[in-house]
Amino acid sequence: MIVAKLNQIKDSIPENVSVVAVSKTKPVNDIEQVYNSGHLDFGENKVQELCQKYEALPKDIRWHMIGHLQRNKVKYIAPFVHLIHGVDSERLLNEINKQGAKNNRVINVLLQIHIAEESTKFGFSYDEAETVLLNANALENVRINGLMGMASYTDNTIQLKREFQDLNNFYNKLQSTNNWTTLSMGMSNDYRLAVSLGSNMIRVGSLIFGSRN
Ligand SMILES: *Cc1c(COP(=O)(O)O)cnc(C)c1O
């Protein structure tokens, strides 16, 4: 059931678009089913849950931290995290760099851009992101691989389209100078639209694993 759902989603998008299976709140058993089908990318939004699942599951899983990350918790995921999607402050970026150095690795991250109209969603403005990029080259143990955005919680397609389109334009403007590979946008409800507007990484939870409590 879960695996069939994931494969259905994969069949509906171009091959260059990767799927992060968002397993937050879901049991280890569910993740094992998906892992056994050959899928390796999973997303969590809480550090403690991410660490527990990392401990319990095969070590070749690529763990994506997709939620808001507090600086004092970076150290727990720094040894193993595959990609941190939600970098939304320069201080957080510096802390990830520091923990990367301690673990002798380069940690891949995305800058989160605030594209939604709601004030509750985290992220940089476009101008702030450009400023961060100017200073980021000096950081040796963190690598900015692209951008992440969460659109407004709405079924207004015109608005969603505008938010995704703006992010895609900004990504395209800066992609080559920064050697970016990843534009992470699109969730269960809006991934088709996001992909049609340039996303190459979608983060899908409830559509794969069923609704969360
Ligand atoms: C929970 C979550 C998702 C997945 O949401 P669904 O609507 O269940 O697909 C994607 N991105 C982030 C940042 C999330 O927190």
Side-chain angles (χ1 to χ4, degrees), residues 20-24 43-45 65-68 85-86 112 148-150 153 184 186-191 202-212:
V20 177
V22 176
S23 48
K24 62 191 188 194
E44 292 284 335
N45 70 339
M65 175 62 197
I66 62 169
H68 181 63
H85 291 230
Q112 182 170 359
M148 180 271 225
M150 276 175 95
Y153 187 73
S184 167
M187 309 174 23
S188 290
N189 289 325
D190 55 20
Y191 78 90
I202 58 175
R203 309 175 308 271
V204 182
S206 47
L207 198 59
I208 299 170
F209 294 101
S211 59
R212 294 176 295 273

Side-chain angles (χ1 to χ4, degrees), residues 155-185:
D155 47 23
N156 180 344
T157 310
I158 293 168
Q159 184 183 346
L160 289 174
K161 222 170 172 168
R162 188 175 56 234
E163 293 173 3
F164 288 142
Q165 183 77 65
D166 286 352
L167 184 55
N168 188 39
N169 289 345
F170 184 71
Y171 178 83
N172 285 335
K173 185 174 81 167
L174 296 173
Q175 189 268 332
S176 63
T177 41
N178 292 286
N179 281 312
W180 281 346
T181 58
T182 306
L183 177 56
S184 167
M185 59 181 196

